[in-house]
Amino acid sequence: MDFVIRDVRPEEHEEVGELTARAYLDDGHLTFGEDDDYLPVMKDVARRAVEAEVLVAVDAGGTLLGAVTFTAGGGTWADIARPGEAEFRLLAVARAARGRGVGEALVRACVDRAHTLDGCARLVLSTQDRMTTAHRIYRRIGFTRLPERDWSPVPGLSPLWAFTLEL
């Protein structure tokens, strides 16, 4: 790998927020585009870094390549994780960094973090059905669908798919 995975630094919060927003907006993953209520939440990396863990992928020159948010079950950022589980969300890779293994490395870092949590038996996540590139990463690592945990944050829209990895 020509990059490292580490915790986000305060001076990177704004850039990580923009990277995440651009990845979701440019790929059409925010139903309401620039008017989506979730956009300000995605951009608020300072809050995420206080209430969860934000990991980033950075190359040797200091360029931010991607980011992900990791939390234990029961945490503020846990949408579907229950006690004894961990969850990651907001996986984003800058368009220019795609194809370099950044997304997979960030997911594997979340798996590693989950292994360090006492009593954590599984890692879960939610994803849109059309995020097929991410699905390939999850399946390659060993995640399987968890359809009984599918859910919709916005009534009337397609549900988010749940995936799980037994640790």
Side-chain angles (χ1 to χ4, degrees):
M1 285 191 317
D2 61 341
F3 56 88
V4 297
I5 307 295
R6 61 165 171 74
D7 292 331
V8 69
R9 296 176 179 154
E11 64 271 15
E12 297 168 330
H13 289 171
E14 186 175 340
E15 186 178 353
V16 170
E18 287 302 316
L19 181 154
T20 304
R22 285 277 42 104
Y24 280 75
L25 283 167
D26 293 349
D27 289 347
H29 296 310
L30 289 177
T31 303
F32 304 107
E34 295 278 353
D35 296 324
D36 200 295
D37 290 341
Y38 195 46
L39 189 58
V41 175
M42 297 172 84
K43 288 183 172 185
D44 192 354
V45 177
R47 176 180 161 216
R48 279 195 272 150
V50 168
E51 298 173 346
E53 274 187 79
V54 178
L55 304 175
V56 293
V58 183
D59 71 12
T63 301
L64 287 164
L65 307 174
V68 68
T69 299
F70 174 85
T71 190
T76 303
W77 285 87
D79 281 330
I80 65 169
R82 298 174 178 163
E85 298 177 338
E87 181 172 346
F88 70 87
R89 52 191 283 199
L90 292 168
L91 175 65
V93 177
R95 186 170 299 279
R98 294 183 184 176
R100 294 172 57 183
V102 172
E104 183 168 339
L106 286 163
V107 173
R108 288 187 184 280
C110 289
V111 172
D112 292 344
R113 289 281 206 269
H115 279 293
T116 69
L117 297 178
D118 287 340
C120 187
R122 94 179 7 167
L123 179 60
V124 296
L125 67 104
S126 300
T127 182
Q128 294 176 18
D129 59 353
R130 63 184 180 266
M131 293 179 163
T132 56
T133 301
H135 300 171
R136 284 192 297 274
I137 292 170
Y138 305 148
R139 287 189 174 105
R140 185 168 46 248
I141 292 172
F143 284 84
T144 57
R145 283 277 287 118
L146 188 63
E148 62 270 22
R149 297 259 199 104
D150 290 356
W151 66 288
S152 181
V154 180
L157 294 183
S158 297
L160 296 176
W161 287 4
F163 280 79
T164 184
L165 177 70
E166 300 298 319
L167 301 175

